[in-house]
Amino acid sequence: MTLRIGVIGTGAIGQEHVHRITHSLQGAEIVAVTDVNKEQAIKVVKKQNINAKVYESGNELIQSSDVEAIMVTSWGPTHEEFVLAAIDAGKPVFCEKPLATTAEGCKRIVDAEVTHGKQLVQVGFMRRFDHSYRQLKKVIDEGKIGDPLMVNCAHRAPAAPGFKGDMALTDSLVHEMDVLRWLLDDDYVSAQVLLPRRTRFADEGLQDPHIMLLETKQGIRISVESFVNCQYGYDIQCQVVGETGTANLPEPSSVPVRSDAKLSNEILVDWKDRFIDAFNVEFQEWIDSTKKGEVNGPSAWDGYVAAVTSDACVEAKRTGQIEPISMPKRPAFYDRGQKVKL
Ligand code: NAI
Ligand code: NAD
Ligand code: ISE
């Protein structure tokens, strides 16, 4: 059986996901698209040569009996409305991060899903599907470095066109907020944000870089540098320091070149290339799980925790203080699923 998917938002990432589902993955087809910019949705259908109907609105697409599962890849502020409508229609929904732009919005989604009585929502935190992160998690889970004590990370991008306000925290570092609690199987208790000397390459009025400091329930201390105008490449680093050793996130593979009296390795420049395999695994697993009526990836609860954490970071940046992070107890409803396979 082929899963019939409807896509809301055919912008940059929506087009990428339509392309991978149509050309790289198995078991699903895009049968419906919509975008607030209808011309663009029409162009995507033509350009990618897919047999999909263009709908007038996200809500009309969700209601269509031809659509079995929904993908929300529109702008963040629209996510909550579409995810709530999908839950209301009882349809599985994959939503790109953020699940909603406020913690309250994410909580409304959690409450709606719990009331519905069956998990339907998966959030687009694709790093959990990245082979290098999964390898690192396996090393930690097998106790090869003892108990984790400290984590040092960096999230660097060459430039951040379109970044405004606190997007380095809410749009970019949110990936670390999610993947590190998954990696350590822990939750956060506080956040602090330090503001180093500002780079001249940041857009006017924008702070860059940031240092985010998190503390977990187990007392693990995490430091993440966000530097989104670093010029030289898209570079994701993570080192876990344990009681008996350290473990590093593997570098993306590249051919070591000896030439011109230098030994060099290429550095990627775009998140689309760095995480291309992760996105492919993420969607193949989502298609397979959805067909079995399961959600095995990041849940609405994970989307909510990420939002609470990013709110605390924005507040910590504003106050310059250490801000507590407190969360209600996770509903037992979310205890199942989220199995990790290598
Ligand atoms: P984009 O601006 O290129 O595309 C968004 C699209 O949504 C636009 O085509 C826009 O017309 C459409 N749209 C907005 N409101 C809509 C509505 N009410 N109904 C239908 N369509 C609507 O943005 P981009 O870069 O594709 O980002 C989309 C989402 O993907 C964001 O939530 C972003 O955070 C997330 N994202 C996730 C990444 C990841 O690594 N997981 C990477 C890049 C983006
Ligand atoms: P984008 O601006 O290129 O695309 C967004 C699209 O949504 C646009 O085409 C816009 O017209 C459409 N849209 C907006 N409101 C709509 C509505 N109400 N109904 C239908 N369509 C609507 O943005 P993007 O870069 O593709 O990002 C989209 C989402 O993906 C964001 O939430 C972003 O955070 C997320 N994203 C995730 C990753 C990742 O690494 N996981 C990377 C990039 C973007
Ligand atoms: C983008 O929205 C993403 O989600 C990417 O994964 C991230 O690295 C980038 O900084 C964001 O702009």
Side-chain angles (χ1 to χ4, degrees):
M1 159 223 157
T2 302
L3 184 70
R4 297 197 307 275
I5 298 174
V7 179
I8 304 176
T10 51
I13 204 164
Q15 292 176 35
E16 291 278 318
H17 294 339
V18 166
H19 188 270
R20 64 170 41 88
I21 286 171
T22 307
H23 298 288
S24 308
L25 308 182
Q26 289 179 344
E29 103 181 90
I30 307 297
V31 296
V33 295
T34 186
D35 198 294
V36 76
N37 173 359
K38 191 175 175 192
E39 287 309 304
Q40 181 186 242
I42 294 168
K43 264 194 211 148
V44 170
V45 169
K46 270 204 193 124
K47 192 171 159 215
Q48 300 211 20
N49 194 21
I50 52 175
N51 190 16
K53 180 171 166 188
V54 178
Y55 285 78
E56 290 300 322
S57 73
N59 285 316
E60 200 185 300
L61 177 146
I62 292 167
Q63 296 307 325
S64 166
S65 58
D66 200 30
V67 173
E68 293 174 303
I70 320 293
M71 260 170 60
V72 179
T73 48
S74 47
W75 300 321
T78 65
H79 291 183
E80 179 183 347
E81 177 196 349
F82 294 134
V83 173
L84 286 173
I87 295 171
D88 199 41
K91 295 188 182 181
V93 52
F94 176 97
C95 179
E96 263 304 342
K97 39 72 51 174
L99 178 57
T101 48
T102 62
E104 296 75 38
C106 293
K107 187 65 171 46
R108 281 191 285 274
I109 291 172
V110 163
D111 291 344
E113 195 179 35
V114 171
T115 304
H116 174 75
K118 184 174 184 291
Q119 257 185 281
L120 292 172
V121 181
Q122 180 165 323
V123 185
F125 288 126
M126 76 297 181
R127 290 197 190 180
R128 296 184 184 207
F129 301 87
D130 178 65
H131 187 62
S132 58
Y133 272 106
R134 287 182 169 192
Q135 284 176 300
L136 180 59
K137 181 162 178 57
K138 189 162 183 277
V139 166
I140 298 167
D141 289 350
E142 288 174 354
K144 292 199 170 132
I145 57 166
D147 286 345
L149 308 173
M150 296 174 277
V151 184
N152 301 305
C153 306
H155 183 146
R156 301 192 189 118
F163 265 39
K164 296 183 202 74
D166 295 317
M167 279 176 78
L169 302 169
T170 59
D171 203 63
S172 186
L173 277 185
V174 72
H175 283 291
E176 271 80 10
M177 296 173 203
D178 177 70
V179 81
L180 294 176
R181 58 183 277 276
W182 166 84
L183 191 68
L184 300 167
D185 201 10
D186 205 345
D187 262 314
Y188 307 125
V189 294
S190 74
Q192 187 179 7
V193 174
L194 307 179
L195 309 179
R197 181 182 178 184
R198 194 179 158 271
T199 168
R200 77 188 72 166
F201 294 107
D203 283 354
E204 212 180 311
L206 277 191
Q207 170 63 34
D208 187 39
H210 295 80
I211 297 171
M212 171 177 76
L213 302 172
L214 297 169
E215 183 183 2
T216 74
K217 278 188 179 156
Q218 297 182 82
I220 301 169
R221 295 288 184 157
I222 297 169
S223 133
V224 189
E225 167 206 309
S226 156
F227 187 13
V228 295
N229 289 281
C230 81
Q231 309 296 301
Y232 75 83
Y234 185 79
D235 192 7
I236 302 299
Q237 302 283 330
C238 178
Q239 182 189 58
V240 183
V241 180
E243 292 169 294
T244 60
T246 72
N248 280 40
L249 186 70
E251 293 285 344
S253 75
S254 76
V255 178
V257 173
R258 287 172 161 80
S259 170
D260 199 17
K262 287 190 187 72
L263 170 58
S264 59
N265 281 81
E266 194 187 344
I267 297 179
L268 296 171
V269 294
D270 193 333
W271 53 266
K272 290 191 198 78
D273 300 322
R274 169 63 182 84
F275 288 112
I276 189 167
D277 293 336
F279 283 120
N280 285 339
V281 175
E282 174 185 44
F283 275 95
Q284 190 62 64
E285 290 191 13
W286 178 66
I287 291 165
D288 297 345
S289 299
T290 301
K291 286 191 194 178
K292 288 190 261 167
E294 296 173 3
V295 175
N296 291 313
S299 64
W301 181 257
D302 296 315
Y304 170 60
V305 174
V308 171
T309 309
S310 92
D311 282 358
C313 288
V314 170
E315 185 60 6
K317 178 177 171 183
R318 195 184 66 78
T319 63
Q321 304 295 312
I322 299 173
E323 295 295 330
I325 299 179
S326 62
M327 227 99 47
K329 195 174 156 2
R330 184 174 70 183
F333 180 77
Y334 291 106
D335 286 351
R336 61 181 183 275
Q338 300 178 36
K339 291 166 226 110
V340 180
K341 286 168 254 135
L342 244 193

